[in-house]
Amino acid sequence: MKRDEGRGRRGPRALRTPGGLSVRLDPRALVVVVLLLLAALGAGVVLIGTGDYPIPPGDVLRTLLGNGDPGQEFIVDELRLPRVLVGLLVGASLGLGGALFQAVSRNPLGSPDVLGLGQGATAGALTVIVLFSGDADAVTVGALVGGLVTGAAIYLLAWKRGVHGYRLVLVGIGVSAMATAVNGYLMTKADFVDAARALVWMTGTLDGRDWKQVWPLLVLFCVLVPLVLANARGLRMMEMGDDVSHALGVRVERVRMLLMVCAVLLTAAATAAAGPVSFVALTAPQLARRLTRSPGPNLVPSLCMGAALLVVADWASQRLFGDGQLPVGVVTGVLGGVYLLWLLVSERRAGRI
């Protein structure tokens, strides 16, 4: 009996505020979130100090606090800090967006990579680049529009008295194939300069990112994350099935549509800022769940895992390949492809596919 009671004390707990609000707290998940945040921020500090003019981590921290010399302040604040912030925000957005799609579809393969949202956003960006020779701001708008149109198409085509898991994934795979074909067609119509520019963007890269990419992404992130977390309870209940959720007072389709819109916006904004960085949205929620060992969507751990993954991948793309630097999307694509194969084998052995 004492052993069982000890186990119960280590499990998830419900904390109640004086106003009557109940908050579910899992000590293990809290520790994982703190460690992932420290890892992401620590990797960001190391990444800021990486480059042709290396800066020790201690000097980076002093510069960020306003105590660096003028040269270090220019390098850190103007050249390297925006890139790291974009990487953290893009990774966090993809991690959270992937967790939402996997929870809504109840499928570990239900991520923006598989559903075609990245390809749809790429189609929007390529349309602006190839047909209109748009600048960076226009490409960002095009990617956002492309992602939103693709998300709306997937939702409408998958609708049949509601949106359900495998139907959503299958429709998403079909839409992804169509968007990929459109992207190939647009590339054949581009001239050499536009094709080279589009190819770099399609790989997924953080090169050349500045404060113009940071602020829109930060504002959207600060608006959407609280909205998602406010509906996390309904999302957790929806994992028990629509009928049970209805009986518990959850407006299932309203919550599902709202969270899908948030996931599409997060994914499209991340793609607009850094290009279609592959597999972060697929792997981050699964890795977070394995670390927390907690049921449910694991939204905050997935967010932190995505941020840590992308910053570490960006560091690897700059430091592990000699003098040549790879786009961060190449590194995440290689690692994510290996993970996807492992996930497919695991799902097959478990009899789920």
Side-chain angles (χ1 to χ4, degrees):
M1 175 66 86
K2 291 182 179 179
R3 183 179 301 174
D4 291 339
E5 289 176 355
R7 289 178 181 175
R9 285 195 295 269
R10 289 193 295 269
R13 302 176 183 179
L15 302 180
R16 295 187 180 276
T17 66
L21 179 64
S22 178
V23 179
R24 181 175 177 269
L25 179 63
D26 186 336
R28 181 185 176 92
L30 181 60
V31 171
V32 169
V33 167
V34 172
L35 292 177
L36 287 175
L37 278 176
L38 292 175
L41 295 177
V45 170
V46 172
L47 185 57
I48 290 175
T50 300
D52 294 333
Y53 181 78
I55 303 175
D59 291 343
V60 171
L61 291 174
R62 282 193 293 271
T63 303
L64 290 174
L65 295 174
N67 298 320
D69 61 55
Q72 290 178 342
E73 288 182 356
F74 174 76
I75 292 173
V76 171
D77 296 339
E78 299 299 327
L79 300 182
R80 297 179 183 174
L81 180 59
R83 173 178 179 143
V84 171
L85 290 177
V86 170
L88 289 170
L89 290 170
V90 166
S93 298
L94 291 175
L96 181 57
L100 289 172
F101 274 114
Q102 290 179 19
V104 168
S105 65
R106 301 172 197 166
N107 191 318
L109 297 177
S111 79
D113 305 294
V114 178
L115 298 180
L117 290 173
Q119 290 84 345
T122 301
L126 285 180
T127 300
V128 173
I129 293 173
V130 174
L131 301 183
F132 302 103
S133 298
D135 57 13
D137 294 334
V139 172
T140 299
V141 174
L144 283 171
V145 173
L148 289 173
V149 170
T150 303
I154 293 172
Y155 189 87
L156 292 175
L157 291 173
W159 174 272
K160 185 179 180 182
R161 292 192 293 261
V163 175
H164 302 283
Y166 276 99
R167 189 188 310 139
L168 183 69
V169 173
L170 291 174
V171 169
I173 292 173
V175 172
S176 175
M178 295 174 61
T180 301
V182 170
N183 295 339
Y185 171 78
L186 289 172
M187 288 294 288
T188 63
K189 291 297 183 180
D191 59 33
F192 180 79
V193 175
D194 286 340
R197 179 185 170 200
L199 184 60
V200 172
W201 189 89
M202 289 172 62
T203 306
T205 180
L206 296 174
D207 290 343
R209 297 305 180 260
D210 57 25
W211 291 104
K212 289 191 298 183
Q213 283 83 33
V214 173
W215 296 119
L217 190 57
L218 180 61
V219 170
L220 190 64
F221 187 81
C222 291
V223 170
L224 293 178
V225 170
L227 186 60
V228 169
L229 297 181
N231 289 274
R233 179 175 176 271
L235 180 63
R236 191 178 300 113
M237 290 182 177
M238 285 164 55
E239 292 190 339
M240 296 185 291
D242 289 359
D243 294 337
V244 174
S245 302
H246 276 300
L248 294 174
V250 179
R251 303 177 68 175
V252 175
E253 286 306 322
R254 179 179 177 180
V255 172
R256 181 179 287 132
M257 179 179 289
L258 175 63
L259 293 178
M260 284 192 65
V261 169
C262 291
V264 169
L265 285 173
L266 287 166
T267 304
T271 304
V277 180
S278 56
F279 288 113
V280 173
L282 175 67
T283 58
Q286 295 299 313
L287 293 176
R289 177 171 292 188
R290 281 164 172 76
L291 287 177
T292 62
R293 299 178 186 175
S294 174
N298 286 279
L299 298 179
V300 177
S302 299
L303 181 154
C304 298
M305 177 63 76
L309 280 178
L310 193 56
V311 175
V312 171
D314 192 30
W315 177 86
S317 71
Q318 295 185 49
R319 303 299 297 174
L320 299 185
F321 301 95
D323 295 333
Q325 293 187 11
L326 291 179
V328 67
V330 174
V331 177
T332 61
V334 171
L335 298 178
V338 173
Y339 178 81
L340 177 60
L341 291 175
W342 175 83
L343 181 62
L344 290 172
V345 171
S346 300
E347 291 292 301
R348 185 173 181 272
R349 287 178 176 174
R352 288 189 285 266
I353 59 175

